[in-house]
């Protein structure tokens, strides 16, 4: 049975960090449980959002059979309430830490942070992490332009969908970050706007998006590649260079979409949240860290765009815009 439905959630409301764009120095507003300056925990409000999201996910139809999440603490903390309850009836359920769904950092001449290791995360989320899973794609530590982000998400979803198709998984949950979630919507549907900062796919804290697979022609084969240890996608029996060329030319644009294409049925819906839509986000040009004056700091890497205020307490689910 091929994959039919992809549920996508953004992490809950979190605390902030500061980054000096010239030096690459990250400092946290509050200390992270993992010790990473760019790895904040959810605020108490974010924890409440995660619980409300979890209750809704338990009622998902078709039910969630697998969970993939960014390995940043805030994402794992967001899916934890759902997994803790769902695992009671499905002992096989766990969290697959996927770096291909990780945070977006703009291109820079310094290395950006990475998520904490399993050794650090294991005692923080006991019994939840899938210890056998290996990430499909690993982003470069030097950051990405907007096009590179979309290409990274396309590679990740091509691999992830193929993996689920092979293993007969019908419905999955992905938990990620605002920029990645917007790129994910574009990659799945194939709808790439002319202007990068178009507000099309939305990403409110703990908002829920739903993508359903389009009907595919009989005999169509989706996703035949795998990744090597460096996150370079490689097909069986082919070189990494040839596989990189294949992914560079992934024809998901023009309405095609990866894995045969997907329809957006919910677009960061927040009707399950007591306070509704909060802290949305959209792109603001092809941002990078180059050319920034030394000593100038900005409020976290997640601010390489524009914060979008929601209606608060009122769902504005408009489907795919």
């Amino acid at each position: 049975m091929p994959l039919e439905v992809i549920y996508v959630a953004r992490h809950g409301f979190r605390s902030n960090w500061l980054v000096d764009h010239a030096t690459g120095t990250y400092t946290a507003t509050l200390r992270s449980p993992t010790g990473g300056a760019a790895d904040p925990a959810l605020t108490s409000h974010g924890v409440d959002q995660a619980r409300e999201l979890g209750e809704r996910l338990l009622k998902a139809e078709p039910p969630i059979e697998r969970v993939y999440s960014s390995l940043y603490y805030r994402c794992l903390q967001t899916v934890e309430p759902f997994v803790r309850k769902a695992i009671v009836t499905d002992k096989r359920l766990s969290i697959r830490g996927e770096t291909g769904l990780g945070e977006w950092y703009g291109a820079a001449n310094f290395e950006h942070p990475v998520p904490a290791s399993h050794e650090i995360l294991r005692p923080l989320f006991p019994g939840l992490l899938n210890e056998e899973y290996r990430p499909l794609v690993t982003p470069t530590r030097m950051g990405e332009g907007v096009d590179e982000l979309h290409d990274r998400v396309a590679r990740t979803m091509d691999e992830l969908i193929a993996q689920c198709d092979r293993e007969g998984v019908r419905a999955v949950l992905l938990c990620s970050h605002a920029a990645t979630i917007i790129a994910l919507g574009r990659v799945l549907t194939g709808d790439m706007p002319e202007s990068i900062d178009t507000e099309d796919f939305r990403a409110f804290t703990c908002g829920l998006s739903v993508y359903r697979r389009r009907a595919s022609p009989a005999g169509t084969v989706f996703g035949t590649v795998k990744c090597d240890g460096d996150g370079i996608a490689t097909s069986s029996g082919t070189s990494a260079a040839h596989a990189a060329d294949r992914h560079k030319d992934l024809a998901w644009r023009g309405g095609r979409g990866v894995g045969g294409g997907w329809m957006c049925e919910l677009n960061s819906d927040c009707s399950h949240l007591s306070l509704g839509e909060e802290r949305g986000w959209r792109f603001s040009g092809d941002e990078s860290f180059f050319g920034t004056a030394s000593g100038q700091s900005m409020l976290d890497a997640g601010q390489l765009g524009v914060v979008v205020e929601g209606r608060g307490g009122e769902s504005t689910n408009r489907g795919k815009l």
Side-chain angles (χ1 to χ4, degrees):
M1 177 183 294
L3 184 63
E4 296 179 15
V5 177
I6 299 174
Y7 301 100
V8 181
R10 185 185 173 194
H11 61 74
F13 209 98
R14 58 162 171 80
S15 59
N16 294 317
W17 69 83
L18 292 172
V19 54
D20 185 315
H21 286 198
T23 65
T25 301
Y26 283 79
T27 54
T29 306
L30 298 173
R31 179 173 173 77
S32 165
T34 67
D39 195 19
L42 300 180
T43 63
S44 59
H45 174 49
V47 171
D48 290 340
Q49 287 182 313
R51 290 177 183 142
E52 292 175 326
L53 172 64
E55 291 301 318
R56 180 170 187 180
L57 293 174
L58 288 169
K59 303 172 185 175
E61 185 58 43
I64 295 164
E65 299 175 23
R66 182 171 291 179
V67 178
Y68 294 87
S69 176
S70 163
L71 277 167
Y72 280 100
Y73 189 84
R74 54 195 178 276
C75 287
L76 297 176
Q77 199 177 9
T78 296
V79 297
E80 181 177 17
F82 163 70
V83 178
R84 289 283 180 209
K85 289 191 175 182
I87 204 171
V88 173
T89 54
D90 185 355
K91 302 296 185 183
R92 300 168 298 174
L93 198 63
S94 61
I95 302 173
R96 297 184 173 213
E98 178 51 60
T99 52
L101 296 174
E103 180 68 274
W104 173 53
Y105 296 106
N109 57 3
F110 54 81
E111 291 189 341
H112 291 291
V114 293
S117 66
H118 269 230
E119 287 68 29
I120 293 175
L121 292 170
R122 189 178 299 117
L124 298 173
F125 299 96
L128 291 189
L129 296 179
N130 187 316
E131 299 290 347
E132 298 179 356
Y133 182 74
R134 296 295 177 266
L136 301 169
V137 175
T138 302
T140 171
R141 292 199 62 181
M142 304 306 289
E144 304 159 303
V146 172
D147 286 341
E148 292 172 314
L149 166 66
H150 284 73
D151 289 342
R152 182 246 293 182
V153 173
R155 292 198 307 273
T156 302
M157 293 310 301
D158 184 56
E159 296 291 337
L160 190 153
I161 292 166
Q163 186 177 85
C164 291
D165 284 345
R166 289 193 302 269
E167 298 172 10
V169 176
R170 184 184 181 194
V172 299
L173 169 66
L174 314 182
C175 186
S176 188
H177 312 265
T180 308
I181 285 173
I182 294 171
L184 194 149
R186 295 169 176 177
V187 162
L188 289 177
T189 62
D191 294 338
M192 185 69 179
E194 291 186 9
S195 176
I196 200 69
D197 55 3
T198 298
E199 187 180 353
D200 46 4
F201 298 97
R202 315 185 86 189
F204 294 105
T205 51
C206 277
L208 179 64
S209 298
V210 178
Y211 296 89
R212 189 174 297 274
R213 203 170 200 166
R214 301 176 196 149
S216 58
T220 299
V221 177
F222 297 122
T224 58
V225 298
K226 63 182 180 180
C227 284
D228 65 16
D230 295 323
I232 302 297
T234 57
S235 302
S236 299
T238 64
S239 68
H242 289 164
D245 288 341
R246 174 192 181 279
H247 278 298
K248 184 178 181 180
D249 297 329
L250 270 178
W252 58 268
R253 291 173 172 81
R256 179 173 178 177
V258 297
W262 303 72
M263 299 176 295
C264 181
E265 295 187 344
L266 284 182
N267 189 4
S268 199
D269 179 54
C270 296
S271 58
H272 52 285
L273 301 176
S274 300
L275 297 184
E277 298 173 346
E278 295 181 276
R279 207 179 194 183
W281 191 93
R282 66 174 173 81
F283 288 100
S284 179
D286 193 353
E287 302 285 353
S288 77
F289 288 83
F290 294 111
T292 306
S294 180
Q296 180 180 345
S297 293
M298 181 176 284
L299 183 64
D300 69 57
Q303 297 292 342
L304 290 174
V306 177
V307 174
V308 178
E309 295 298 334
R311 298 187 181 182
E314 179 182 352
S315 173
T316 59
N317 172 43
R318 292 181 282 174
K320 182 171 71 63
L321 301 181

